[in-house]
Amino acid sequence: MIAVLTALTLVPALLALSGRRMLRPGLLARVPGVRTVLARTSDDHAEEGAFSRLATRVQRHPWLVMGGVVVLLGVLTAPLAHLELRNSTTGLLPVGSTQREFVETLAADYPASTSPAVTVVAETSLTQATAWADQVAALDAVATVDPPAAAGPYVVIGVRPGSLDPGGAVARDAVQQIRALDPGFETWVTGQAAAQIDFVAALAGGAPWAALVVVLATFALLFLMTGSFVIPVKALLTNALSLAASLGVLVWAFQDGHLEGLLGFVSTGGVETYVLALVIAFGFGLAMDYEVFLLSRIKELHDQGVPTDEAVRLGLQRSGRIITSAAAIIILVFAGFVSGRLLVIKEVGFALAVAVLIDATIVRLLLVPATMTILDRLNWWAPAWAVRLHRRLEITH
């Protein structure tokens, strides 16, 4: 909000104060090599250029381009099928850090000092808890159970699953099996695996409402901007494909560990749960920004009576440099996150950089022009009542 307010107030004021001095060549323009690059890339009003030529090639074979892009995005999305969500602790620390070495050395040399992966807090007597602990020890996913210990009106029972991974599948099975028991008194199951299960459940519970708000808001805003029912649906679908592909690359790189050596990390065997939420939220917002950049130019031309194919070609030419420049800046920012040592920061930066790269290139430069060319006049379809509503409420320049 601060950035929007600044763009609407401070920036115009500075431009007014600068006056025609803004049109003078800058210092970079005096450098011979840079001057040539600026001459070819800085003018976004040129009717013909690299982006219009790319759009022309796409429009010659729109079905082929759309099919190829969808297949490519499907391949990138494939690793998402075996996504493993994690809620890691010391595994997020960089290998070689003193904090991680301390924890690992303590666990290796003094195993009795380590906390159990699963802890059960029971509101009952020590005698009843001890008897019930035998049932817990008999569960398939449980290896051993620590002796119950009284803690005021409660009893604490340490449970050690049959795996050294405190957030892995075995630990999660142990949590679910313990929670499925009916001891006859109140119990709470805690630990890394339990927290992970609860966090995922909380996300799943709120996800439908969050998705509904996003879909309705996106549909309403794009409808008011374009007057179409088709374009908002297409935008939602293409953004979903783009996000799925970026998450698939994230799984391939971090969960499967294919980029461990290049990015300098050790895989925890999954993707952090809150990283997934962050990437979906920020990735969708950034993708919608680029969608609006492109659609605003196309709609502007369409309103002037330009045929759809021509509007798409010229619209891509006029907005392509803006989209590419904005994407490059964002990618550089997130690339800085990847250079950090903390694993969760690496995951967020990498996933968002990939999301922007895919969206600003494969989606905006290929998929969107191809689908709009195929749909042609259907791009602008809306029922009669919606057309009347749009005339009253439309968002125009």
Side-chain angles (χ1 to χ4, degrees):
M1 290 184 66
I2 292 174
V4 170
L5 291 174
T6 301
L8 295 176
T9 57
L10 180 60
V11 173
L14 292 175
L15 289 174
L17 290 172
S18 300
R20 299 188 64 82
R21 285 175 293 180
M22 294 290 293
L23 299 177
R24 297 175 186 171
L27 292 176
L28 286 177
R30 300 175 184 176
V31 181
V34 176
R35 183 168 54 205
T36 303
V37 174
L38 289 175
R40 294 186 177 184
T41 61
S42 61
D43 181 14
D44 63 309
H45 295 292
E47 297 297 331
E48 299 296 336
F51 293 103
S52 64
R53 289 192 292 270
L54 175 62
T56 300
R57 294 190 184 95
V58 170
Q59 289 176 330
R60 288 173 184 166
H61 307 283
W63 285 101
L64 183 62
V65 172
M66 185 182 72
V69 170
V70 169
V71 170
L72 175 59
L73 293 177
V75 171
L76 295 178
T77 303
L80 195 58
H82 62 271
L83 170 66
E84 182 82 13
L85 292 177
R86 303 281 300 190
N87 190 22
S88 306
T89 52
T90 55
L92 298 177
L93 297 173
V95 176
S97 66
T98 55
Q99 297 91 340
R100 182 163 181 164
E101 287 183 354
F102 169 76
V103 173
E104 291 176 347
T105 302
L106 187 66
D109 294 348
Y110 303 94
S113 68
T114 59
S115 301
V118 178
T119 301
V120 181
V121 179
E123 192 175 19
T124 185
S125 65
L126 183 59
T127 302
Q128 288 182 310
T130 302
W132 181 65
D134 293 335
Q135 297 182 37
V136 175
L139 295 174
D140 295 336
V142 175
T144 60
V145 175
D146 294 350
Y154 303 98
V155 177
V156 178
I157 306 171
V159 179
R160 301 179 186 271
S163 170
L164 296 178
D165 186 353
V170 176
R172 294 198 301 272
D173 288 343
V175 171
Q176 292 169 342
Q177 290 174 13
I178 294 170
R179 287 178 172 176
L181 296 176
D182 184 14
F185 46 82
E186 195 73 30
T187 59
W188 297 269
V189 184
T190 68
Q192 182 176 327
Q196 181 177 324
I197 291 172
D198 295 341
F199 190 55
V200 172
L203 282 179
W209 293 105
L212 180 63
V213 170
V214 170
V215 168
L216 291 178
T218 300
F219 192 94
L221 290 172
L222 289 182
F223 166 71
L224 293 175
M225 175 184 166
T226 63
S228 168
F229 270 28
V230 176
I231 287 178
V233 173
K234 179 186 65 64
L236 289 167
L237 291 177
T238 53
N239 286 356
L241 278 173
S242 177
L243 271 177
S246 63
L247 290 173
V249 175
L250 174 66
V251 171
W252 177 84
F254 283 85
Q255 177 178 312
D256 299 342
H258 291 291
L259 295 185
E260 280 186 335
L262 179 63
L263 300 182
F265 69 92
V266 174
S267 175
T268 61
V271 173
E272 298 306 304
T273 310
Y274 44 92
V275 169
L276 183 71
L278 284 173
V279 171
I280 291 175
F282 287 113
F284 187 90
L286 291 169
M288 194 53 62
D289 280 349
Y290 304 137
E291 182 78 13
V292 170
F293 288 162
L294 180 56
L295 284 178
S296 60
R297 300 286 76 81
I298 295 174
K299 179 63 166 56
E300 188 178 69
L301 291 161
H302 178 265
D303 290 345
Q304 296 170 7
V306 178
T308 299
D309 283 3
E310 187 73 2
V312 170
R313 188 177 68 82
L314 295 179
L316 185 60
Q317 174 61 27
R318 293 182 182 181
S319 62
R321 291 182 177 91
I322 299 173
I323 293 173
T324 303
S325 299
I329 293 170
I330 293 293
I331 290 171
L332 286 174
V333 170
F334 289 134
F337 287 24
V338 178
S339 65
R341 299 186 67 198
L342 199 62
L343 180 60
V344 65
I345 302 298
K346 284 181 180 290
E347 288 185 2
V348 171
F350 177 85
L352 288 175
V354 170
V356 172
L357 178 63
I358 291 174
D359 196 85
T361 54
I362 299 173
V363 175
R364 300 301 148 208
L365 301 183
L366 298 176
L367 184 58
V368 171
T371 54
M372 293 195 74
T373 300
I374 291 169
L375 292 170
D376 198 16
R377 293 183 180 179
L378 286 177
N379 283 295
W380 315 105
W381 178 87
W385 64 266
V387 174
R388 292 191 295 269
L389 179 64
H390 179 258
R391 287 172 182 166
R392 296 176 57 187
L393 304 175
E394 65 178 324
I395 299 175
T396 58
H397 289 288

